[in-house]
Amino acid sequence: MFLVVVIMNKSKSVAHELKTPLAVIKTQIDVLNQQDTITLEDYQSTLKVIERTVGKMSDLLDTLLETNQDKSNLNEILNIEEIIQDVIEDLDVIAKRKNIKLSYSINQNPISYGNSVLMYRCLYNLVENAIKYNQTGGKVEIQCEACPLNYSIRILDNGIGIPNEKIDKIFEPYYRCEKSNKDGIGLGLAMVKSIVTLHKGHIIVESEMNQGSQFILNFPQLKKESIVL
Ligand code: ADP
């Protein structure tokens, strides 16, 4: 909680978190503008994504304001499969631009409590990185596996990889690997870590240079009374 508050108190990071949904809206409009003929269905599907993205920005702002007041609701029932589907739907347009295939698999939807806006943001940041630090024609896969007491979410990519000695550092605020010449300010993973901790989970990272990375999130299947607000 502390880190989310610290991060969100910095206006730079709030601006960054809003930059991505704005980029999604811009990309949607660009894609429409580049088409020679635009059908009613094209307009409708573009409007749908824009409407959802604006909704997400508004939810995010609400959550950040609530989080800053230390009143964030961690007692919602999370529909993990729906959150994964939303992330894929919202990032699909960016993935398509790099010809990256996004897919997910799930053995069973876990029963879990937490904050769906924050959990969406956590998975969004990880999948966005998996696309950003990948090559054209790459693959990104989300695998969710639930056991009776806990569940895991893996985000796998076959991108550029992370040097072993840097794996611990990438979760530090503003840390970026030297080779990072992509957009970003180094806060996405710091936010991921604080959201995972807030949900009583932990993260493991496995990576091989030029082969790819996997971020494995492990969470308990929480009971309502186990969350201390
Ligand atoms: P940003 O993407 O804004 O730089 P992040 O906190 O999300 O910040 O990530 C920190 C750094 O970790 C990135 O700059 C990048 O070097 C590295 N990184 C994160 N995810 C991946 C990934 N899936 N593959 C390779 N490198 C990654």
Side-chain angles (χ1 to χ4, degrees), residues 16 125-126 129-134 157 159-162 170-172 174-180 182-190 207 213 215:
H16 177 69
N125 287 358
L126 289 169
N129 278 349
I131 297 168
K132 193 159 73 170
Y133 301 106
N134 211 327
D157 67 61
I160 62 172
I162 305 162
I170 55 176
F171 293 97
E172 290 170 12
Y174 302 107
Y175 185 86
R176 311 192 73 210
C177 297
E178 279 139 52
K179 279 190 180 164
S180 276
K182 316 274 176 191
D183 269 0
I185 55 169
L187 280 174
L189 289 181
S207 188
S213 308
F215 286 74

PDB file of all heavy atoms in Angstrom, residues 16 125-126 129-134 157 159-162 170-172 174-180 182-190 207 213 215, ligand 1:
ATOM      1  N   HIS A  16       1.951   9.232 -16.382  1.00  0.00           N
ATOM      2  CA  HIS A  16       2.374   8.065 -17.160  1.00  0.00           C
ATOM      3  C   HIS A  16       1.260   7.031 -17.251  1.00  0.00           C
ATOM      4  O   HIS A  16       0.995   6.476 -18.315  1.00  0.00           O
ATOM      5  CB  HIS A  16       3.614   7.446 -16.518  1.00  0.00           C
ATOM      6  CG  HIS A  16       4.067   6.206 -17.211  1.00  0.00           C
ATOM      7  ND1 HIS A  16       4.602   6.235 -18.477  1.00  0.00           N
ATOM      8  CD2 HIS A  16       4.037   4.913 -16.838  1.00  0.00           C
ATOM      9  CE1 HIS A  16       4.889   5.000 -18.840  1.00  0.00           C
ATOM     10  NE2 HIS A  16       4.555   4.174 -17.856  1.00  0.00           N
ATOM     11  N   ASN A 125       0.259  -3.721 -17.002  1.00  0.00           N
ATOM     12  CA  ASN A 125       1.659  -3.283 -17.055  1.00  0.00           C
ATOM     13  C   ASN A 125       2.570  -4.424 -17.508  1.00  0.00           C
ATOM     14  O   ASN A 125       3.495  -4.220 -18.302  1.00  0.00           O
ATOM     15  CB  ASN A 125       2.117  -2.780 -15.682  1.00  0.00           C
ATOM     16  CG  ASN A 125       1.525  -1.421 -15.336  1.00  0.00           C
ATOM     17  OD1 ASN A 125       0.805  -0.833 -16.131  1.00  0.00           O
ATOM     18  ND2 ASN A 125       1.802  -0.929 -14.149  1.00  0.00           N
ATOM     19  N   LEU A 126       2.310  -5.642 -17.002  1.00  0.00           N
ATOM     20  CA  LEU A 126       3.167  -6.779 -17.357  1.00  0.00           C
ATOM     21  C   LEU A 126       3.001  -7.173 -18.828  1.00  0.00           C
ATOM     22  O   LEU A 126       3.980  -7.455 -19.523  1.00  0.00           O
ATOM     23  CB  LEU A 126       2.852  -7.977 -16.449  1.00  0.00           C
ATOM     24  CG  LEU A 126       3.310  -7.815 -14.993  1.00  0.00           C
ATOM     25  CD1 LEU A 126       2.729  -8.925 -14.133  1.00  0.00           C
ATOM     26  CD2 LEU A 126       4.833  -7.818 -14.897  1.00  0.00           C
ATOM     27  N   ASN A 129       4.588  -4.552 -21.067  1.00  0.00           N
ATOM     28  CA  ASN A 129       6.043  -4.749 -21.146  1.00  0.00           C
ATOM     29  C   ASN A 129       6.401  -5.925 -22.052  1.00  0.00           C
ATOM     30  O   ASN A 129       7.349  -5.853 -22.833  1.00  0.00           O
ATOM     31  CB  ASN A 129       6.623  -5.039 -19.752  1.00  0.00           C
ATOM     32  CG  ASN A 129       6.866  -3.772 -18.957  1.00  0.00           C
ATOM     33  OD1 ASN A 129       6.796  -2.674 -19.499  1.00  0.00           O
ATOM     34  ND2 ASN A 129       7.127  -3.926 -17.679  1.00  0.00           N
ATOM     35  N   ALA A 130       5.621  -7.015 -21.922  1.00  0.00           N
ATOM     36  CA  ALA A 130       5.902  -8.215 -22.728  1.00  0.00           C
ATOM     37  C   ALA A 130       5.784  -7.903 -24.222  1.00  0.00           C
ATOM     38  O   ALA A 130       6.476  -8.498 -25.046  1.00  0.00           O
ATOM     39  CB  ALA A 130       4.953  -9.340 -22.322  1.00  0.00           C
ATOM     40  N   ILE A 131       4.923  -6.941 -24.561  1.00  0.00           N
ATOM     41  CA  ILE A 131       4.784  -6.521 -25.970  1.00  0.00           C
ATOM     42  C   ILE A 131       5.925  -5.556 -26.327  1.00  0.00           C
ATOM     43  O   ILE A 131       6.584  -5.685 -27.356  1.00  0.00           O
ATOM     44  CB  ILE A 131       3.416  -5.817 -26.198  1.00  0.00           C
ATOM     45  CG1 ILE A 131       2.255  -6.778 -25.925  1.00  0.00           C
ATOM     46  CG2 ILE A 131       3.329  -5.226 -27.608  1.00  0.00           C
ATOM     47  CD1 ILE A 131       0.895  -6.115 -25.849  1.00  0.00           C
ATOM     48  N   LYS A 132       6.142  -4.597 -25.408  1.00  0.00           N
ATOM     49  CA  LYS A 132       7.126  -3.525 -25.667  1.00  0.00           C
ATOM     50  C   LYS A 132       8.541  -4.077 -25.827  1.00  0.00           C
ATOM     51  O   LYS A 132       9.280  -3.655 -26.703  1.00  0.00           O
ATOM     52  CB  LYS A 132       7.063  -2.554 -24.481  1.00  0.00           C
ATOM     53  CG  LYS A 132       7.743  -1.246 -24.666  1.00  0.00           C
ATOM     54  CD  LYS A 132       7.197  -0.202 -23.688  1.00  0.00           C
ATOM     55  CE  LYS A 132       7.644  -0.414 -22.269  1.00  0.00           C
ATOM     56  NZ  LYS A 132       7.305   0.720 -21.373  1.00  0.00           N
ATOM     57  N   TYR A 133       8.905  -5.059 -24.947  1.00  0.00           N
ATOM     58  CA  TYR A 133      10.269  -5.596 -24.993  1.00  0.00           C
ATOM     59  C   TYR A 133      10.296  -6.899 -25.784  1.00  0.00           C
ATOM     60  O   TYR A 133      10.904  -7.883 -25.379  1.00  0.00           O
ATOM     61  CB  TYR A 133      10.810  -5.756 -23.564  1.00  0.00           C
ATOM     62  CG  TYR A 133      10.830  -4.433 -22.831  1.00  0.00           C
ATOM     63  CD1 TYR A 133       9.903  -4.144 -21.828  1.00  0.00           C
ATOM     64  CD2 TYR A 133      11.736  -3.437 -23.197  1.00  0.00           C
ATOM     65  CE1 TYR A 133       9.895  -2.910 -21.197  1.00  0.00           C
ATOM     66  CE2 TYR A 133      11.727  -2.202 -22.565  1.00  0.00           C
ATOM     67  CZ  TYR A 133      10.808  -1.941 -21.577  1.00  0.00           C
ATOM     68  OH  TYR A 133      10.801  -0.708 -20.964  1.00  0.00           O
ATOM     69  N   ASN A 134       9.612  -6.893 -26.904  1.00  0.00           N
ATOM     70  CA  ASN A 134       9.522  -8.068 -27.769  1.00  0.00           C
ATOM     71  C   ASN A 134       9.827  -7.639 -29.191  1.00  0.00           C
ATOM     72  O   ASN A 134       9.808  -6.444 -29.510  1.00  0.00           O
ATOM     73  CB  ASN A 134       8.097  -8.643 -27.682  1.00  0.00           C
ATOM     74  CG  ASN A 134       8.070 -10.139 -27.874  1.00  0.00           C
ATOM     75  OD1 ASN A 134       8.879 -10.680 -28.618  1.00  0.00           O
ATOM     76  ND2 ASN A 134       7.135 -10.802 -27.221  1.00  0.00           N
ATOM     77  N   ASP A 157       6.830 -14.135 -22.508  1.00  0.00           N
ATOM     78  CA  ASP A 157       7.102 -13.547 -23.826  1.00  0.00           C
ATOM     79  C   ASP A 157       8.353 -14.186 -24.409  1.00  0.00           C
ATOM     80  O   ASP A 157       9.105 -14.850 -23.694  1.00  0.00           O
ATOM     81  CB  ASP A 157       7.261 -12.011 -23.725  1.00  0.00           C
ATOM     82  CG  ASP A 157       8.484 -11.569 -22.949  1.00  0.00           C
ATOM     83  OD1 ASP A 157       9.609 -11.904 -23.375  1.00  0.00           O
ATOM     84  OD2 ASP A 157       8.344 -10.880 -21.916  1.00  0.00           O
ATOM     85  N   GLY A 159      10.670 -12.323 -25.969  1.00  0.00           N
ATOM     86  CA  GLY A 159      11.324 -11.072 -26.353  1.00  0.00           C
ATOM     87  C   GLY A 159      12.805 -11.003 -26.016  1.00  0.00           C
ATOM     88  O   GLY A 159      13.495 -12.025 -25.975  1.00  0.00           O
ATOM     89  N   ILE A 160      13.245  -9.778 -25.702  1.00  0.00           N
ATOM     90  CA  ILE A 160      14.693  -9.512 -25.617  1.00  0.00           C
ATOM     91  C   ILE A 160      15.359 -10.094 -24.379  1.00  0.00           C
ATOM     92  O   ILE A 160      16.572 -10.247 -24.332  1.00  0.00           O
ATOM     93  CB  ILE A 160      14.990  -7.991 -25.694  1.00  0.00           C
ATOM     94  CG1 ILE A 160      14.357  -7.234 -24.507  1.00  0.00           C
ATOM     95  CG2 ILE A 160      14.511  -7.405 -27.008  1.00  0.00           C
ATOM     96  CD1 ILE A 160      14.762  -5.771 -24.424  1.00  0.00           C
ATOM     97  N   GLY A 161      14.561 -10.398 -23.333  1.00  0.00           N
ATOM     98  CA  GLY A 161      15.128 -10.965 -22.105  1.00  0.00           C
ATOM     99  C   GLY A 161      15.706  -9.902 -21.180  1.00  0.00           C
ATOM    100  O   GLY A 161      15.873  -8.736 -21.567  1.00  0.00           O
ATOM    101  N   ILE A 162      15.987 -10.324 -19.948  1.00  0.00           N
ATOM    102  CA  ILE A 162      16.508  -9.402 -18.924  1.00  0.00           C
ATOM    103  C   ILE A 162      17.799 -10.035 -18.382  1.00  0.00           C
ATOM    104  O   ILE A 162      17.793 -11.216 -18.017  1.00  0.00           O
ATOM    105  CB  ILE A 162      15.499  -9.243 -17.758  1.00  0.00           C
ATOM    106  CG1 ILE A 162      14.126  -8.800 -18.290  1.00  0.00           C
ATOM    107  CG2 ILE A 162      16.012  -8.267 -16.697  1.00  0.00           C
ATOM    108  CD1 ILE A 162      12.981  -9.030 -17.336  1.00  0.00           C
ATOM    109  N   ILE A 170      14.832  -4.510 -11.385  1.00  0.00           N
ATOM    110  CA  ILE A 170      13.794  -3.944 -12.265  1.00  0.00           C
ATOM    111  C   ILE A 170      12.532  -3.526 -11.524  1.00  0.00           C
ATOM    112  O   ILE A 170      11.730  -2.768 -12.059  1.00  0.00           O
ATOM    113  CB  ILE A 170      13.418  -4.894 -13.443  1.00  0.00           C
ATOM    114  CG1 ILE A 170      13.011  -6.270 -12.924  1.00  0.00           C
ATOM    115  CG2 ILE A 170      14.559  -4.981 -14.455  1.00  0.00           C
ATOM    116  CD1 ILE A 170      12.528  -7.219 -14.012  1.00  0.00           C
ATOM    117  N   PHE A 171      12.375  -3.999 -10.280  1.00  0.00           N
ATOM    118  CA  PHE A 171      11.184  -3.616  -9.517  1.00  0.00           C
ATOM    119  C   PHE A 171      11.390  -2.315  -8.736  1.00  0.00           C
ATOM    120  O   PHE A 171      10.471  -1.804  -8.126  1.00  0.00           O
ATOM    121  CB  PHE A 171      10.771  -4.752  -8.563  1.00  0.00           C
ATOM    122  CG  PHE A 171      10.295  -5.966  -9.303  1.00  0.00           C
ATOM    123  CD1 PHE A 171      11.147  -7.030  -9.542  1.00  0.00           C
ATOM    124  CD2 PHE A 171       9.003  -6.024  -9.801  1.00  0.00           C
ATOM    125  CE1 PHE A 171      10.721  -8.139 -10.261  1.00  0.00           C
ATOM    126  CE2 PHE A 171       8.566  -7.118 -10.518  1.00  0.00           C
ATOM    127  CZ  PHE A 171       9.425  -8.185 -10.749  1.00  0.00           C
ATOM    128  N   GLU A 172      12.614  -1.804  -8.772  1.00  0.00           N
ATOM    129  CA  GLU A 172      12.874  -0.537  -8.068  1.00  0.00           C
ATOM    130  C   GLU A 172      12.293   0.613  -8.885  1.00  0.00           C
ATOM    131  O   GLU A 172      12.423   0.624 -10.119  1.00  0.00           O
ATOM    132  CB  GLU A 172      14.386  -0.308  -7.922  1.00  0.00           C
ATOM    133  CG  GLU A 172      15.032  -1.259  -6.948  1.00  0.00           C
ATOM    134  CD  GLU A 172      16.559  -1.179  -7.011  1.00  0.00           C
ATOM    135  OE1 GLU A 172      17.105  -0.239  -7.630  1.00  0.00           O
ATOM    136  OE2 GLU A 172      17.189  -2.094  -6.439  1.00  0.00           O
ATOM    137  N   TYR A 174      11.808   3.747 -10.991  1.00  0.00           N
ATOM    138  CA  TYR A 174      12.629   4.466 -11.987  1.00  0.00           C
ATOM    139  C   TYR A 174      13.807   3.667 -12.546  1.00  0.00           C
ATOM    140  O   TYR A 174      14.594   4.195 -13.321  1.00  0.00           O
ATOM    141  CB  TYR A 174      13.149   5.825 -11.424  1.00  0.00           C
ATOM    142  CG  TYR A 174      12.032   6.724 -10.994  1.00  0.00           C
ATOM    143  CD1 TYR A 174      11.758   6.951  -9.649  1.00  0.00           C
ATOM    144  CD2 TYR A 174      11.187   7.328 -11.937  1.00  0.00           C
ATOM    145  CE1 TYR A 174      10.695   7.750  -9.252  1.00  0.00           C
ATOM    146  CE2 TYR A 174      10.123   8.120 -11.551  1.00  0.00           C
ATOM    147  CZ  TYR A 174       9.888   8.331 -10.203  1.00  0.00           C
ATOM    148  OH  TYR A 174       8.839   9.103  -9.824  1.00  0.00           O
ATOM    149  N   TYR A 175      13.951   2.361 -12.151  1.00  0.00           N
ATOM    150  CA  TYR A 175      15.051   1.577 -12.713  1.00  0.00           C
ATOM    151  C   TYR A 175      14.677   1.096 -14.119  1.00  0.00           C
ATOM    152  O   TYR A 175      13.588   0.569 -14.345  1.00  0.00           O
ATOM    153  CB  TYR A 175      15.381   0.359 -11.824  1.00  0.00           C
ATOM    154  CG  TYR A 175      16.590  -0.383 -12.353  1.00  0.00           C
ATOM    155  CD1 TYR A 175      17.871   0.019 -11.987  1.00  0.00           C
ATOM    156  CD2 TYR A 175      16.451  -1.431 -13.266  1.00  0.00           C
ATOM    157  CE1 TYR A 175      18.989  -0.621 -12.502  1.00  0.00           C
ATOM    158  CE2 TYR A 175      17.567  -2.071 -13.794  1.00  0.00           C
ATOM    159  CZ  TYR A 175      18.822  -1.655 -13.405  1.00  0.00           C
ATOM    160  OH  TYR A 175      19.930  -2.280 -13.930  1.00  0.00           O
ATOM    161  N   ARG A 176      15.568   1.253 -15.050  1.00  0.00           N
ATOM    162  CA  ARG A 176      15.378   0.746 -16.415  1.00  0.00           C
ATOM    163  C   ARG A 176      16.679   0.096 -16.850  1.00  0.00           C
ATOM    164  O   ARG A 176      17.756   0.608 -16.551  1.00  0.00           O
ATOM    165  CB  ARG A 176      15.031   1.886 -17.392  1.00  0.00           C
ATOM    166  CG  ARG A 176      13.921   2.796 -16.900  1.00  0.00           C
ATOM    167  CD  ARG A 176      13.413   3.703 -18.001  1.00  0.00           C
ATOM    168  NE  ARG A 176      12.615   2.951 -18.946  1.00  0.00           N
ATOM    169  CZ  ARG A 176      12.511   3.257 -20.227  1.00  0.00           C
ATOM    170  NH1 ARG A 176      13.185   4.265 -20.725  1.00  0.00           N
ATOM    171  NH2 ARG A 176      11.766   2.525 -21.025  1.00  0.00           N
ATOM    172  N   CYS A 177      16.583  -1.050 -17.536  1.00  0.00           N
ATOM    173  CA  CYS A 177      17.816  -1.686 -18.005  1.00  0.00           C
ATOM    174  C   CYS A 177      18.471  -0.779 -19.058  1.00  0.00           C
ATOM    175  O   CYS A 177      17.778  -0.068 -19.778  1.00  0.00           O
ATOM    176  CB  CYS A 177      17.517  -3.054 -18.615  1.00  0.00           C
ATOM    177  SG  CYS A 177      16.834  -4.194 -17.415  1.00  0.00           S
ATOM    178  N   GLU A 178      19.789  -0.819 -19.106  1.00  0.00           N
ATOM    179  CA  GLU A 178      20.500   0.101 -20.002  1.00  0.00           C
ATOM    180  C   GLU A 178      19.985   0.077 -21.436  1.00  0.00           C
ATOM    181  O   GLU A 178      19.902   1.098 -22.096  1.00  0.00           O
ATOM    182  CB  GLU A 178      21.991  -0.242 -20.038  1.00  0.00           C
ATOM    183  CG  GLU A 178      22.757   0.313 -18.858  1.00  0.00           C
ATOM    184  CD  GLU A 178      23.765  -0.689 -18.351  1.00  0.00           C
ATOM    185  OE1 GLU A 178      24.542  -1.169 -19.173  1.00  0.00           O
ATOM    186  OE2 GLU A 178      23.747  -1.000 -17.152  1.00  0.00           O
ATOM    187  N   LYS A 179      19.621  -1.140 -21.869  1.00  0.00           N
ATOM    188  CA  LYS A 179      19.226  -1.252 -23.274  1.00  0.00           C
ATOM    189  C   LYS A 179      17.820  -0.705 -23.540  1.00  0.00           C
ATOM    190  O   LYS A 179      17.369  -0.706 -24.676  1.00  0.00           O
ATOM    191  CB  LYS A 179      19.286  -2.709 -23.708  1.00  0.00           C
ATOM    192  CG  LYS A 179      20.679  -3.152 -24.067  1.00  0.00           C
ATOM    193  CD  LYS A 179      20.600  -4.508 -24.722  1.00  0.00           C
ATOM    194  CE  LYS A 179      21.983  -5.005 -25.101  1.00  0.00           C
ATOM    195  NZ  LYS A 179      21.976  -6.428 -25.383  1.00  0.00           N
ATOM    196  N   SER A 180      17.111  -0.290 -22.470  1.00  0.00           N
ATOM    197  CA  SER A 180      15.732   0.181 -22.650  1.00  0.00           C
ATOM    198  C   SER A 180      15.688   1.475 -23.442  1.00  0.00           C
ATOM    199  O   SER A 180      15.865   2.557 -22.894  1.00  0.00           O
ATOM    200  CB  SER A 180      15.068   0.435 -21.296  1.00  0.00           C
ATOM    201  OG  SER A 180      14.563  -0.728 -20.785  1.00  0.00           O
ATOM    202  N   LYS A 182      12.996   2.055 -25.197  1.00  0.00           N
ATOM    203  CA  LYS A 182      11.564   2.166 -25.467  1.00  0.00           C
ATOM    204  C   LYS A 182      10.974   3.255 -24.586  1.00  0.00           C
ATOM    205  O   LYS A 182      11.596   3.706 -23.638  1.00  0.00           O
ATOM    206  CB  LYS A 182      10.850   0.849 -25.139  1.00  0.00           C
ATOM    207  CG  LYS A 182      11.554  -0.383 -25.604  1.00  0.00           C
ATOM    208  CD  LYS A 182      11.207  -0.705 -27.009  1.00  0.00           C
ATOM    209  CE  LYS A 182      11.992  -1.895 -27.498  1.00  0.00           C
ATOM    210  NZ  LYS A 182      11.886  -2.105 -28.909  1.00  0.00           N
ATOM    211  N   ASP A 183       9.710   3.607 -24.866  1.00  0.00           N
ATOM    212  CA  ASP A 183       8.981   4.574 -24.040  1.00  0.00           C
ATOM    213  C   ASP A 183       8.842   4.053 -22.616  1.00  0.00           C
ATOM    214  O   ASP A 183       8.655   2.868 -22.418  1.00  0.00           O
ATOM    215  CB  ASP A 183       7.558   4.722 -24.592  1.00  0.00           C
ATOM    216  CG  ASP A 183       7.483   5.832 -25.600  1.00  0.00           C
ATOM    217  OD1 ASP A 183       8.535   6.447 -25.843  1.00  0.00           O
ATOM    218  OD2 ASP A 183       6.384   6.064 -26.125  1.00  0.00           O
ATOM    219  N   GLY A 184       8.873   4.932 -21.661  1.00  0.00           N
ATOM    220  CA  GLY A 184       8.629   4.499 -20.284  1.00  0.00           C
ATOM    221  C   GLY A 184       9.496   5.286 -19.326  1.00  0.00           C
ATOM    222  O   GLY A 184      10.450   5.960 -19.731  1.00  0.00           O
ATOM    223  N   ILE A 185       9.128   5.190 -18.026  1.00  0.00           N
ATOM    224  CA  ILE A 185       9.918   5.923 -17.032  1.00  0.00           C
ATOM    225  C   ILE A 185      10.369   5.011 -15.894  1.00  0.00           C
ATOM    226  O   ILE A 185      10.895   5.469 -14.883  1.00  0.00           O
ATOM    227  CB  ILE A 185       9.158   7.156 -16.469  1.00  0.00           C
ATOM    228  CG1 ILE A 185       7.796   6.741 -15.906  1.00  0.00           C
ATOM    229  CG2 ILE A 185       9.039   8.250 -17.498  1.00  0.00           C
ATOM    230  CD1 ILE A 185       7.121   7.844 -15.108  1.00  0.00           C
ATOM    231  N   GLY A 186      10.136   3.705 -16.041  1.00  0.00           N
ATOM    232  CA  GLY A 186      10.644   2.778 -15.031  1.00  0.00           C
ATOM    233  C   GLY A 186       9.787   2.653 -13.788  1.00  0.00           C
ATOM    234  O   GLY A 186      10.290   2.286 -12.726  1.00  0.00           O
ATOM    235  N   LEU A 187       8.481   2.941 -13.918  1.00  0.00           N
ATOM    236  CA  LEU A 187       7.607   2.805 -12.735  1.00  0.00           C
ATOM    237  C   LEU A 187       6.622   1.646 -12.821  1.00  0.00           C
ATOM    238  O   LEU A 187       6.022   1.258 -11.824  1.00  0.00           O
ATOM    239  CB  LEU A 187       6.816   4.101 -12.528  1.00  0.00           C
ATOM    240  CG  LEU A 187       7.566   5.221 -11.840  1.00  0.00           C
ATOM    241  CD1 LEU A 187       6.738   6.499 -11.813  1.00  0.00           C
ATOM    242  CD2 LEU A 187       7.961   4.832 -10.420  1.00  0.00           C
ATOM    243  N   GLY A 188       6.464   1.094 -14.036  1.00  0.00           N
ATOM    244  CA  GLY A 188       5.440   0.054 -14.235  1.00  0.00           C
ATOM    245  C   GLY A 188       5.608  -1.135 -13.302  1.00  0.00           C
ATOM    246  O   GLY A 188       4.652  -1.579 -12.664  1.00  0.00           O
ATOM    247  N   LEU A 189       6.835  -1.642 -13.185  1.00  0.00           N
ATOM    248  CA  LEU A 189       7.060  -2.838 -12.362  1.00  0.00           C
ATOM    249  C   LEU A 189       7.042  -2.524 -10.872  1.00  0.00           C
ATOM    250  O   LEU A 189       6.665  -3.387 -10.068  1.00  0.00           O
ATOM    251  CB  LEU A 189       8.373  -3.522 -12.746  1.00  0.00           C
ATOM    252  CG  LEU A 189       8.379  -4.225 -14.106  1.00  0.00           C
ATOM    253  CD1 LEU A 189       9.738  -4.876 -14.357  1.00  0.00           C
ATOM    254  CD2 LEU A 189       7.285  -5.279 -14.191  1.00  0.00           C
ATOM    255  N   ALA A 190       7.426  -1.304 -10.501  1.00  0.00           N
ATOM    256  CA  ALA A 190       7.333  -0.921  -9.082  1.00  0.00           C
ATOM    257  C   ALA A 190       5.866  -0.964  -8.662  1.00  0.00           C
ATOM    258  O   ALA A 190       5.515  -1.437  -7.575  1.00  0.00           O
ATOM    259  CB  ALA A 190       7.914   0.471  -8.874  1.00  0.00           C
ATOM    260  N   SER A 207      14.265 -15.422 -16.864  1.00  0.00           N
ATOM    261  CA  SER A 207      14.525 -14.794 -18.150  1.00  0.00           C
ATOM    262  C   SER A 207      15.822 -15.306 -18.767  1.00  0.00           C
ATOM    263  O   SER A 207      16.757 -15.658 -18.058  1.00  0.00           O
ATOM    264  CB  SER A 207      14.614 -13.273 -17.959  1.00  0.00           C
ATOM    265  OG  SER A 207      14.670 -12.642 -19.198  1.00  0.00           O
ATOM    266  N   SER A 213      11.139 -13.856 -21.430  1.00  0.00           N
ATOM    267  CA  SER A 213      11.001 -13.726 -19.977  1.00  0.00           C
ATOM    268  C   SER A 213       9.659 -14.278 -19.545  1.00  0.00           C
ATOM    269  O   SER A 213       8.707 -14.307 -20.321  1.00  0.00           O
ATOM    270  CB  SER A 213      11.031 -12.246 -19.570  1.00  0.00           C
ATOM    271  OG  SER A 213      12.163 -11.615 -20.105  1.00  0.00           O
ATOM    272  N   PHE A 215       7.106 -13.713 -16.086  1.00  0.00           N
ATOM    273  CA  PHE A 215       6.793 -13.128 -14.788  1.00  0.00           C
ATOM    274  C   PHE A 215       5.708 -14.025 -14.189  1.00  0.00           C
ATOM    275  O   PHE A 215       4.646 -14.189 -14.782  1.00  0.00           O
ATOM    276  CB  PHE A 215       6.279 -11.695 -14.945  1.00  0.00           C
ATOM    277  CG  PHE A 215       7.376 -10.708 -15.281  1.00  0.00           C
ATOM    278  CD1 PHE A 215       7.935 -10.670 -16.552  1.00  0.00           C
ATOM    279  CD2 PHE A 215       7.866  -9.842 -14.308  1.00  0.00           C
ATOM    280  CE1 PHE A 215       8.949  -9.779 -16.863  1.00  0.00           C
ATOM    281  CE2 PHE A 215       8.888  -8.941 -14.607  1.00  0.00           C
ATOM    282  CZ  PHE A 215       9.428  -8.911 -15.875  1.00  0.00           C
TER     283      PHE A 215
HETATM  284  P1  ADP B   1       9.524   0.932 -18.173  1.00  0.00           P
HETATM  285  O1  ADP B   1       8.944  -0.107 -19.075  1.00  0.00           O
HETATM  286  O2  ADP B   1       8.722   2.188 -18.105  1.00  0.00           O
HETATM  287  O3  ADP B   1      10.972   1.179 -18.434  1.00  0.00           O
HETATM  288  P2  ADP B   1       9.132  -0.943 -15.956  1.00  0.00           P
HETATM  289  O4  ADP B   1       9.213  -0.662 -14.484  1.00  0.00           O
HETATM  290  O5  ADP B   1       7.848  -1.474 -16.455  1.00  0.00           O
HETATM  291  O6  ADP B   1       9.506   0.408 -16.661  1.00  0.00           O
HETATM  292  O7  ADP B   1      10.298  -1.962 -16.322  1.00  0.00           O
HETATM  293  C1  ADP B   1      11.613  -1.726 -15.847  1.00  0.00           C
HETATM  294  C2  ADP B   1      12.622  -2.288 -16.832  1.00  0.00           C
HETATM  295  O8  ADP B   1      12.585  -3.710 -16.825  1.00  0.00           O
HETATM  296  C3  ADP B   1      12.365  -1.888 -18.281  1.00  0.00           C
HETATM  297  O9  ADP B   1      12.956  -0.637 -18.576  1.00  0.00           O
HETATM  298  C4  ADP B   1      13.020  -3.032 -19.059  1.00  0.00           C
HETATM  299  O10 ADP B   1      14.398  -2.783 -19.205  1.00  0.00           O
HETATM  300  C5  ADP B   1      12.847  -4.223 -18.131  1.00  0.00           C
HETATM  301  N1  ADP B   1      11.718  -5.097 -18.510  1.00  0.00           N
HETATM  302  C6  ADP B   1      10.474  -5.126 -17.954  1.00  0.00           C
HETATM  303  N2  ADP B   1       9.707  -6.078 -18.505  1.00  0.00           N
HETATM  304  C7  ADP B   1      10.464  -6.700 -19.437  1.00  0.00           C
HETATM  305  C8  ADP B   1      10.259  -7.788 -20.352  1.00  0.00           C
HETATM  306  N3  ADP B   1       9.081  -8.458 -20.411  1.00  0.00           N
HETATM  307  N4  ADP B   1      11.281  -8.150 -21.155  1.00  0.00           N
HETATM  308  C9  ADP B   1      12.484  -7.495 -21.088  1.00  0.00           C
HETATM  309  N5  ADP B   1      12.741  -6.475 -20.257  1.00  0.00           N
HETATM  310  C10 ADP B   1      11.762  -6.068 -19.436  1.00  0.00           C
END
